[in-house]
Amino acid sequence: MNRLRIVLPAAGGGTRTHVLAERSPVHDLTAGAPVTRTAYAAAHVVADPLADPQGLDWDATLAFRRHLWSLGLGVADAMDTAQRGGGLDWPAARELIARSGAEARTVGGALVCGAMTDQLDPGQLALGHRWTLNDLADAYVEQAGWIRQSGGTPVIMGSRQLAATARDADDYREVYGAVLRQVDGPVLLHWLGEAFDPAMRTYWGDADLDRAAETMLGIIAEHADRITGIKISLLDAAREVALRRRFPPGVSMLTGDDFHYTELIRGDEHGHSGALLGVFDAIAAPARAALARLDAGDEAGYTALLEPTVPLARHLFAAPTSAYKTGVVFLAWLNGHQDHFHMVGGAQTFRSVPHLSTLFALADRAGALADPPLAVRRMRSFLAVAGFES
């Protein structure tokens, strides 16, 4: 293609000229679902900027899920990337799960969805309210049942209400045991680290990750017949590898590590991780192409395609990590998956103009811009609105 240039604002002031990369098409996206790895992209939602009260653009939200399924990736829905607990409440998540389930059945797409306890008034957390352990277990079971009814597999996610209520590891064992004895069919678990949500600092009953891990592993061992896998989001590759080597047969690791996913998915002689990643929303095409190379036994080709996405991921998830969704939606807009850059709860303001400018350049180097001329036009319009003439 012809070279494209754009002038971008630099962090700390000044400008820099970015020349978009020239590359041959590398993304063969006709291979269907990955064969040797399980891979889910945690999908964002598209806000309706003209709705009052605030709502979702269902057509664009579901179209993006169809895009992910068309690449052969599974969809992880109603989780953190969809702003669950950060603007997406349970009534909206409930409708999202039902709509995504209907779409998944239509296209034969794989779907997992987050089960939480957020139908218990989240506003009460700030008032120091505590729930009974039975309340928490019942809330999980209600949401897991809705997910199963809608055609998805539940992901039993970390609960802020449980984190605020539990006194020790025994309380986690009691709640998870009650949930796992009642769910209809296998589920995934999720360990979300403090970097993503400070409320999770003492999850599993201890701020010490070694002791917390022993509690989690004990729950998995006791209920392995109900657990198909767990997503770990600790941004600690060595700990993830050590944990997956201790899982009982039939329980898989799905990495949620948006910094070290290349090496964790590639694996070693003892095994590998699957993927349930927010960054796969932003890099779906190069990620799927890389997984196709891995399926073919071409580890070098896999690394060559996926490794250039890591600087983009590290920038997306830079502190504060909880703001990563802003960059994910920005890239979706640049790539034409939605016609505006607005987010639930005004989260489009959570990152600076220089941050998003660097994100644009890194996305180009990662091969994550589907239509570079469109991306350049939209980037220039964004900068103009921000008062920067490129």
Side-chain angles (χ1 to χ4, degrees), residues 100-122:
S100 291
E103 292 290 331
R105 287 191 294 274
T106 298
V107 303
L111 177 69
V112 300
C113 301
M116 302 175 68
T117 61
D118 51 343
Q119 71 269 53
L120 303 175
D121 184 4

Side-chain angles (χ1 to χ4, degrees), residues 243-255:
L243 286 172
R244 78 185 181 204
R245 292 178 181 173
R246 296 181 61 187
F247 287 172
V251 178
S252 63
M253 173 70 78
L254 295 178
T255 188

Side-chain angles (χ1 to χ4, degrees), residues 157-181:
M157 298 184 66
S159 161
R160 291 174 180 171
Q161 287 86 353
L162 176 56
T165 298
R167 298 160 299 178
D168 53 30
D170 285 341
D171 285 350
Y172 285 88
R173 295 186 188 98
E174 182 173 340
V175 170
Y176 276 82
V179 172
L180 292 167
R181 284 189 293 271

Side-chain angles (χ1 to χ4, degrees), residues 311-331:
L312 168 63
R314 288 179 174 269
H315 187 71
L316 270 171
F317 287 83
T321 301
S322 58
Y324 79 88
K325 293 172 282 291
T326 302
V328 166
V329 174
F330 187 66
L331 286 177

Side-chain angles (χ1 to χ4, degrees), residues 158-216:
S159 161
R160 291 174 180 171
Q161 287 86 353
L162 176 56
T165 298
R167 298 160 299 178
D168 53 30
D170 285 341
D171 285 350
Y172 285 88
R173 295 186 188 98
E174 182 173 340
V175 170
Y176 276 82
V179 172
L180 292 167
R181 284 189 293 271
Q182 294 180 70
V183 290
D184 179 16
V187 302
L188 293 163
L189 301 185
H190 185 195
W191 186 359
L192 186 70
E194 181 181 2
F196 291 90
D197 186 345
M200 300 292 111
R201 189 178 72 85
T202 59
Y203 212 74
W204 306 117
D206 209 305
D208 181 278
L209 294 183
D210 291 333
R211 290 195 290 268
E214 292 304 319
T215 300
M216 179 206 69

